[in-house]
Amino acid sequence: MALFQNKFQYNIALIGFMGAGKSTVSHCLSRKYALEEVEIDSMIAESEGMAITDIFAKYGEPYFRTCESNAIIDLKNRRRTVISCGGGAVMRDENVENLKKSSRIVLLTAMPETILERVKDSNERPILNGHMNVEYIADLMEKRRAKYEAAADIVIATDNKSVTDICEELMHRMEELEVLWKGQKLL
Ligand code: S3P
């Protein structure tokens, strides 16, 4: 796609609830369009030398949120990279502002039932441990919805779609919006 062959000089930041498919879509975009990829959770786990669940257990959520904000700042010189954000990253306005400096922000959505199906066998998400049910997921999603939507340049629903279809839809939407974005260059 022409946009990604030469003109593409920013990043795609993928946001959305846990289990929305950010990592899977990131791998697909990276492969298809020769973009680099980084996952904010992996950056944090690496720099802290422990898993996200252990960071939550040992230091608490506020500490993790500070690591998350710092990791986003550390990405400021990245270009042509798919950035997979943790599900809570855009709850802080400063993180959205920092991401927007060099990234188009794409929100991936899914129904609570779909989310549960995708995350139920994992215990790597401290926010959901002990709350693996549709009601809890729907409630938290609703609490986060306004922040997700306000941060997003593009919204893609992922229910019942293949990862290839999602990537193609995403790129198509980016191409379309690029015409409108011409006047508002990033960087
Ligand atoms: C979180 C989502 C997780 C991870 C942490 C907190 C959240 O990332 O950052 O467990 O608050 O939604 P994923 O969305 O990649 O699961």
Side-chain angles (χ1 to χ4, degrees):
M1 223 172 246
L3 173 60
F4 296 93
Q5 275 156 15
N6 43 34
K7 286 183 279 172
F8 184 71
Q9 287 306 330
Y10 38 85
N11 307 306
I12 299 175
L14 298 176
I15 65 165
F17 205 80
M18 294 162 274
K22 293 160 290 182
S23 307
T24 317
V25 170
S26 168
H27 299 333
C28 175
L29 288 174
S30 155
R31 253 197 336 269
K32 256 173 115 68
Y33 302 100
L35 303 171
E36 288 185 53
E37 60 175 336
V38 294
E39 192 167 70
I40 291 175
D41 277 2
S42 304
M43 286 173 69
I44 299 169
E46 196 173 316
S47 66
E48 294 296 307
M50 64 179 99
I52 301 299
T53 34
D54 296 331
I55 299 172
F56 269 73
K58 191 161 177 200
Y59 302 118
E61 183 173 348
Y63 179 84
F64 170 79
R65 297 300 173 195
T66 301
C67 295
E68 198 169 43
S69 296
N70 289 338
I72 290 171
I73 292 169
D74 288 346
L75 288 171
K76 65 177 186 299
N77 295 323
R78 278 265 172 189
R79 297 295 179 270
R80 295 183 61 88
T81 300
V82 187
I83 302 171
S84 249
C85 300
V90 297
M91 296 305 112
R92 278 194 183 180
D93 294 344
E94 64 173 273
N95 294 347
V96 178
E97 281 160 30
N98 285 327
L99 285 168
K100 276 193 182 288
K101 289 178 188 161
S102 54
S103 308
R104 304 302 192 196
I105 301 187
V106 179
L107 169 63
L108 300 180
T109 69
M111 303 292 287
E113 292 77 6
T114 310
I115 297 286
L116 179 64
E117 208 39 49
R118 292 178 186 164
V119 302
K120 66 180 189 324
D121 296 325
S122 163
N123 56 10
E124 287 171 9
R125 295 184 174 91
I127 301 279
L128 294 181
N129 287 345
H131 307 287
M132 268 310 169
N133 58 75
V134 168
E135 293 69 33
Y136 185 85
I137 290 171
D139 188 54
L140 182 56
M141 199 185 275
E142 203 44 49
K143 288 190 178 123
R144 290 180 168 186
R145 184 186 304 279
K147 293 269 189 193
Y148 283 142
E149 289 177 355
D153 295 308
I154 291 175
V155 183
I156 310 267
T158 65
D159 303 271
N160 304 315
K161 289 179 192 161
S162 72
V163 62
T164 312
D165 288 350
I166 295 165
C167 286
E168 280 170 10
E169 181 178 340
L170 192 159
M171 286 309 190
H172 184 70
R173 297 280 306 283
M174 296 271 289
E175 285 274 6
E176 272 178 1
L177 280 177
E178 202 51 35
V179 176
L180 298 174
W181 283 332
K182 279 263 156 54
Q184 1 162 335
K185 286 254 181 281
L186 294 177
L187 317 179

